[in-house]
Amino acid sequence: MFGGPDSHLARLVDEAGLETKSIPGNRMGLAVNGKVVASGAPETYPLRLPLSPAARLSFIKSGLKLRWAAQGFQRAARRQIGESASAARARELAYRENETFADYLGVMHPEVEAIFRAIAERITAEPHEITAGCGAGLFAVVWDSNLTLARNLIGGSALLPLTLARHLGSRIVTGAAVEEVVPEPTGARIRVRVAGRVRDVSAKYVIAATPAYVTHRIVRGLPADTADALARIPYGPFVCGAVLTGESGPMPWDDVYAIATPGKAFNMLFNHANVLRGSGPREPGGSLMVYGGGDLGRRLLQMTDGQIQEAFLRDLSTILPEVKDVVREVIVHRWEHAIPYIAPGRHRLQPALERSLGNVLLAGDYLGFPEMEVAAVTGLEAARTARGGLAPVEGAQSRVLERVQP
Ligand SMILES: Cc1cc2nc3c(=O)[nH]c(=O)nc-3n(C[C@H](O)[C@H](O)[C@H](O)COP(=O)(O)OP(=O)(O)OC[C@H]3O[C@@H](n4cnc5c(N)ncnc54)[C@H](O)[C@@H]3O)c2cc1C
């Protein structure tokens, strides 16, 4: 999911000549006890799902608390006039950071706890592992389409890095593994392995846009607090199943985008073709995606791809029975370190991560609430700093950079 037209990512998409479209379908569906509710206001779900009276009451109570916290997160995430993006990131990370999401929600009915666990696992962690602010943020990003992630990239998200790589042509090298970055008085030396051969490259600036644990491993000479902060960013696992379907006409899930699926072999089910189902004729075929994160992801990682595929398809057909006849292909993908999550105490690491490190500049989603927008913004900030210290390069394109707000 991508942000709205005001996001930096949208500008990048635009520069790349790509297109995002608003997701028309419901982004907060729930499949519980054999029933899928994926329409209307989420506030009505406790009354429409087949739950016991005690579970309904528990769901209403926790739902209200969450609504309150999500609104607070939205306020915390809003950048003030004249404020730096870095200050806004720090405030967002500090929002309700002194208690875990599980503690904030309090004791819940087991069925309700399973619902919130399934949704927390979207960020690859359990409710007791993330801050209450992080849990609130997960809901905020789908609750309010003005704020956040409500668009899909036509053609699929992977099109963005592929297109950027194509536009950059010979100016970038892909498939190159950096083994170390050694700061030097006037720049840095990078040891890189390309096609099995190790090369040393010198650079005036290095933008380390690798995940925190990789940056910790490859960048030498970091101040102790920065190295420690990088090592302390936790990542959780995801196991995904992409399901290609070959239906020839409309399907019951056409107007749904996302369904949380507590108690299944996956936590979430997405209909990635939903963005194409607005107006106009309904094209044949479709694309569904499921994933399991957090503890469920860890259990899935122990299984073979065949076992995962079988479990995914079995549970998928209990939620969307019509899927059985139309599955054409399933691809299982494993991420052991999929997404960095925000654990209590995380905001105290921020000064060590945002400090100046001379000619080595850090970028990546782990520097804020983990999503593509933070990766894009921190990348642009780093690029602007580097450009400020470099002599202009003839013919270099910097249209996006010029529009980055300080
Ligand atoms: C299943 C899934 C669904 C998601 N859905 C969304 C969503 O809907 N919306 C959203 O905003 N975000 C989503 N995210 C999160 C989003 O993908 C990340 O926040 C974003 O990709 C982070 O970008 P990044 O550049 O910081 O890190 P990455 O995308 O992880 O990029 C780091 C890069 O560093 C490279 N690398 C690692 N080690 C080395 C090395 N030694 N040398 C050279 N290169 C190296 C890696 O190959 C990788 O290309 C999702 C993530 C997953 C896993």
Side-chain angles (χ1 to χ4, degrees):
M1 286 189 281
F2 285 66
D6 292 338
S7 65
H8 287 87
L9 208 58
R11 293 176 192 170
L12 201 57
V13 166
D14 200 35
E15 292 282 339
L18 300 171
E19 183 194 9
T20 62
K21 274 195 180 162
S22 205
I23 298 167
N26 185 296
R27 287 173 289 137
M28 292 187 81
L30 251 179
V32 174
N33 295 337
K35 182 172 178 184
V36 178
V37 175
S39 62
E43 290 80 353
T44 63
Y45 289 6
L47 304 174
R48 293 162 62 206
L49 286 165
L51 296 167
S52 66
R56 277 189 216 286
L57 203 62
S58 171
F59 198 0
I60 291 170
K61 209 174 117 210
S62 305
L64 284 173
K65 285 185 90 172
L66 187 56
R67 188 68 165 133
W68 175 256
Q71 283 169 348
F73 180 89
Q74 286 164 346
R75 281 192 297 276
R78 214 162 287 140
R79 201 167 148 191
Q80 313 297 321
I81 294 167
E83 185 182 43
S84 69
S86 148
R89 281 197 293 275
R91 191 180 51 250
E92 202 175 85
L93 289 168
Y95 179 67
R96 289 190 183 273
E97 72 77 37
N98 56 355
E99 60 184 335
T100 67
F101 189 42
D103 286 343
Y104 175 71
L105 291 174
V107 178
M108 289 178 282
H109 187 281
E111 284 178 329
V112 179
E113 198 188 341
I115 294 172
F116 286 106
R117 190 177 330 112
I119 297 170
E121 284 172 347
R122 279 184 93 150
I123 199 154
T124 72
E126 300 299 307
H128 67 271
E129 293 174 314
I130 57 175
T131 63
C134 180
L138 281 174
F139 285 82
V141 295
V142 287
W143 226 321
D144 178 358
S145 47
N146 292 327
L147 179 76
T148 55
L149 305 178
R151 303 177 75 81
N152 270 173
L153 188 73
I154 302 303
S157 306
L159 212 51
L160 180 59
L162 290 174
T163 307
L164 292 175
R166 192 162 43 78
H167 283 194
L168 288 165
S170 60
R171 293 166 64 205
I172 62 160
V173 180
T174 55
V178 174
E179 297 189 344
E180 65 173 6
V181 175
V182 183
E184 291 179 337
T186 56
R189 178 178 55 76
I190 303 118
R191 176 153 294 176
V192 60
R193 184 179 291 272
V194 193
R197 292 183 56 195
V198 175
R199 282 170 52 194
D200 280 351
V201 183
S202 287
K204 179 91 189 283
Y205 286 96
V206 172
I207 299 176
T210 40
Y213 57 93
V214 176
T215 303
H216 173 261
R217 176 164 52 80
I218 62 177
V219 181
R220 309 276 176 254
L222 287 168
D225 59 345
T226 305
D228 179 58
L230 287 167
R232 291 218 265 147
I233 302 286
Y235 285 71
F238 256 159
V239 175
C240 298
V243 181
L244 182 72
T245 59
E247 68 272 18
S248 54
M251 298 306 275
W253 55 84
D254 279 355
D255 58 355
V256 176
Y257 177 70
I259 305 174
T261 57
K264 299 294 180 196
F266 42 84
N267 318 115
M268 292 295 306
L269 156 58
F270 294 89
N271 170 16
H272 281 156
N274 172 254
V275 71
L276 305 174
R277 307 290 186 227
S279 53
R282 202 277 190 199
E283 300 290 334
S287 170
L288 301 171
M289 193 269 267
V290 296
Y291 61 58
D295 283 352
L296 174 57
R298 270 180 277 277
R299 289 197 294 277
L300 289 165
L301 282 174
Q302 307 302 316
M303 296 161 60
T304 65
D305 283 6
Q307 290 168 332
I308 295 168
Q309 177 170 329
E310 199 184 314
F312 279 176
L313 287 182
R314 185 193 59 230
D315 282 2
L316 187 57
S317 58
T318 64
I319 299 168
L320 309 174
E322 297 80 358
V323 91
K324 269 201 299 286
D325 303 324
V326 296
V327 172
R328 294 289 176 270
E329 187 185 357
V330 181
I331 295 176
V332 170
H333 193 95
R334 300 153 183 268
W335 274 281
E336 281 188 43
H337 305 286
I339 299 187
Y341 59 85
I342 303 166
R346 162 68 184 82
H347 81 293
R348 282 193 287 277
L349 307 176
Q350 198 65 357
L353 295 170
E354 296 259 5
R355 68 187 288 173
S356 167
L357 298 170
N359 293 3
V360 175
L361 306 157
L362 305 185
D365 61 351
Y366 66 88
L367 292 168
F369 189 88
E371 55 184 23
M372 290 183 287
E373 179 70 4
V374 172
V377 170
T378 54
L380 286 165
E381 287 170 350
R384 194 181 56 239
T385 304
R387 194 181 67 169
L390 291 172
V393 179
E394 196 145 325
Q397 293 170 2
S398 56
R399 283 167 298 167
V400 174
L401 276 181
E402 263 137 32
R403 288 204 248 132
V404 182
Q405 293 163 29

